[in-house]
Amino acid sequence: MNRKVLYFLISYFISLVLSLNFQIIPPLIPHIIGEWNITRSQAGLITGITALPPMIFGLFGGYLLDRFGNKRPIILALILYLLGETLFLLAGSFGFLLLSRIVIGFGAVIFAIVGLRILAEEFLGENLGKAVGIWSTGLPVAVIISFNIFSPIASRYHWKSPMIILLIFTLLVLILVSIFYEEKQQVSDNGNTEFLVSIKEIPKEVWTLGVIWFLFNAGSLSFLTFAPDYFMSRGMSPVYASSVSSLYILGSFLSPVTGYLLDKTTRHNLIIFVGGILLSISLILIYFLNFHLIIVIAGIFSVLVPPSVFYLLPRLTDKYGLGYAILSIFVNLSIVSVPYLIGYVRDVSGTYFISFLLMSTFIFLSGLLGLNLRIKEEIRSL
């Protein structure tokens, strides 16, 4: 097999391990609530706590990759994933379940970075855009698998059954990396003095972009987390509710269209504004209207924002690594904090209306900030 194809597959499988371990929880939430009688805010914590280690130690993960190359950190991360997945299967209490998710989160410290790092090493200067574009389908593929395969398995057998499948897949990826992955190059660590200085040189627009990314994910990821439970509250079965929820992610496969628009326009921030406003309206309509096509339309609007954020960052700073690390911190902050808030509001109010209103407001604010994002001409020319 061609080396580039092999390494792309390894990178893509890493993306799937990362995404599936995050997305496996939403369709399981109704089962966990029913078995252990936990609140929806606690259920949101199961999703959010996995993002805590990458948020805190993400920069350290980058340091490990720079110091030791890719292979050893990948193997360490896969061992942590296998340990966390095993603890999940053995969990007999809510606290033990949280522990398993924290261990999985430490694996994500490496996996949130290394997949794209492999692509950069292998495809830089040759088809990197195509490679990254295909690689980006890892998240929607994981969501579809979770909602349409894992959910029926959990309903038919036991809610922990999907984790057995995921554990086997993780083990196969570990074997694949151990046998076939060879380090292309190792970059030694050059100390942290330049890094500390670089933080001070990051333009304020990058931090604004980080806030936009936080607000967008606060609404979008919270919707994906609680959508199955919401549709079940409207009388749907767990399997059907999960399938309906997965309609939202279909728009992610249209990311190349957004990329085409970004290449054809100079008003990149306008795309964020339009996507944010239309998606916020769509979420409110989903609450009031029993019309599944609206979920698909909402997913199409949602795909306008992420590629725009990723596209704009290099136009704001030439420190790409640190800039994308800042975006990673903000998205993980939203994962850790907002699902708990959304679940708590649902528990207190007894209805999902205020929760949907909050999700819609977060995304609306991301659109407004996008409209006001200014790109200095001298930075844009980098």
Side-chain angles (χ1 to χ4, degrees), residues 103-118:
V103 175
I104 288 172
F106 276 102
V109 170
I110 298 298
F111 270 28
I113 306 169
V114 71
L116 287 171
R117 191 174 192 270
I118 291 174

Side-chain angles (χ1 to χ4, degrees), residues 298-319:
I300 293 173
F301 292 150
S302 73
V303 83
L304 292 172
V305 178
S308 302
V309 170
F310 298 145
Y311 182 90
L312 280 173
L313 189 135
R315 301 173 70 85
L316 297 172
T317 178
D318 58 351
K319 297 177 174 60

Side-chain angles (χ1 to χ4, degrees), residues 5-70:
V5 174
L6 174 62
Y7 279 33
F8 174 82
L9 290 175
I10 290 175
S11 177
Y12 194 81
F13 291 154
I14 286 173
S15 169
L16 286 179
V17 171
L18 173 71
S19 300
L20 284 171
N21 270 283
F22 274 104
Q23 296 301 327
I24 194 173
I25 296 300
L28 302 184
I29 283 179
H31 302 281
I32 298 174
I33 292 174
E35 179 165 327
W36 286 343
N37 196 31
I38 63 174
T39 65
R40 286 173 176 83
S41 57
Q42 289 176 311
L45 191 60
I46 298 173
T47 300
I49 201 167
T50 312
L52 191 59
M55 183 181 68
I56 298 175
F57 301 106
L59 294 177
F60 180 69
Y63 166 80
L64 287 179
L65 292 168
D66 289 337
R67 181 69 183 273
F68 300 107
N70 294 328

Side-chain angles (χ1 to χ4, degrees), residues 105-179:
F106 276 102
V109 170
I110 298 298
F111 270 28
I113 306 169
V114 71
L116 287 171
R117 191 174 192 270
I118 291 174
L119 294 186
E121 288 180 352
E122 294 298 323
F123 292 93
L124 186 61
E126 183 183 358
N127 297 321
L128 180 59
K130 293 179 181 178
V132 172
I134 300 173
W135 185 89
S136 298
T137 63
L139 175 59
V141 167
V143 172
I144 290 174
I145 291 174
S146 182
F147 283 135
N148 296 283
I149 297 178
F150 287 171
S151 180
I153 291 174
S155 297
R156 182 171 181 177
Y157 299 102
H158 188 275
W159 61 269
K160 290 184 179 180
S161 299
M163 186 58 79
I164 298 176
I165 300 173
L166 185 50
L167 187 147
I168 295 173
F169 176 68
T170 304
L171 180 60
L172 291 175
V173 175
L174 175 60
I175 295 172
L176 179 66
V177 171
S178 301
I179 297 176

Side-chain angles (χ1 to χ4, degrees), residues 201-203 206 313-323 379 382:
E201 296 176 349
I202 292 294
V206 172
L313 189 135
R315 301 173 70 85
L316 297 172
T317 178
D318 58 351
K319 297 177 174 60
Y320 305 152
L322 189 56
I379 296 178
L382 290 175

